[in-house]
Amino acid sequence: MKMPDKIETTMFAPCGMNCLVCYKHCYHKKPCVGCLNGDNGKPEHCRKCKIKDCVKDKGFSYCFECSEHPCKQIKSLEKSYNSRYNTSLVKNSSTVKEIGLVEFMKLQQKEYTCSVCGGIISIHDAECSECQTKSK
């Protein structure tokens, strides 16, 4: 899958993840449509996400809008993403609060576009979805 000219802001998940760079979006013929766009193509753990349900129940779009952010669930996910993928969902959320979602997605586009072929580099395996070049 090639990196689009513009990453839609609806691809930013409530937790701080950019769904466009998720392996489930990059590598599948029927890609996940993102946490805010419904359950089509989502793996089971995403369909049953307690974070997504919590945000919805509280009437927010994003966890960072909540006074309890980062809560226990976010801290647990943060720990996993820090150790496994060297990324911070809390920092992503802070950046969105600081510069706005459109600008954040522009930064993500630069960071996760394969320099070899223009494909999307998956955050989960640092591999291009088109040419399988390893990055980072």
Side-chain angles (χ1 to χ4, degrees):
M1 176 175 285
K2 294 286 188 179
M3 179 63 79
D5 292 334
K6 177 185 172 191
I7 301 175
E8 294 300 321
T9 56
T10 56
M11 293 304 284
F12 186 71
C15 65
M17 170 71 182
N18 171 3
C19 293
L20 187 79
V21 300
C22 172
Y23 77 96
K24 188 65 176 166
H25 182 82
C26 297
Y27 295 123
H28 293 82
K29 291 178 183 173
K30 293 182 180 179
C32 172
V33 295
C35 287
L36 296 178
N37 294 318
D39 286 338
N40 290 341
K42 280 192 180 114
E44 186 176 348
H45 68 274
C46 290
R47 287 191 309 268
K48 295 180 176 182
C49 179
K50 291 179 182 178
I51 293 171
K52 182 179 72 163
D53 292 341
C54 177
V55 168
K56 186 178 178 182
D57 291 346
K58 290 184 176 185
F60 299 126
S61 294
Y62 307 105
C63 294
F64 68 77
E65 296 171 303
C66 180
S67 63
E68 296 174 40
H69 183 264
C71 66
K72 185 178 178 179
Q73 290 177 340
I74 290 294
K75 286 177 183 177
S76 175
L77 188 60
E78 174 76 358
K79 185 176 179 180
S80 173
Y81 268 73
N82 276 325
S83 64
R84 295 168 76 190
Y85 313 119
N86 196 30
T87 198
S88 171
L89 302 180
V90 171
K91 184 177 181 221
N92 286 354
S93 292
S94 294
T95 303
V96 168
K97 282 175 69 172
E98 187 179 314
I99 67 171
L101 196 46
V102 171
E103 290 303 313
F104 173 78
M105 289 307 215
K106 286 178 186 177
L107 293 174
Q108 292 278 287
Q109 182 182 34
K110 288 178 188 173
E111 184 174 352
Y112 291 100
T113 298
C114 177
S115 61
V116 175
C117 73
I120 299 171
I121 299 167
S122 167
I123 195 170
H124 295 110
D125 61 11
E127 184 177 279
C128 175
S129 61
E130 291 292 304
C131 70
Q132 287 70 49
T133 297
K134 286 285 191 179
S135 181
K136 295 186 180 189

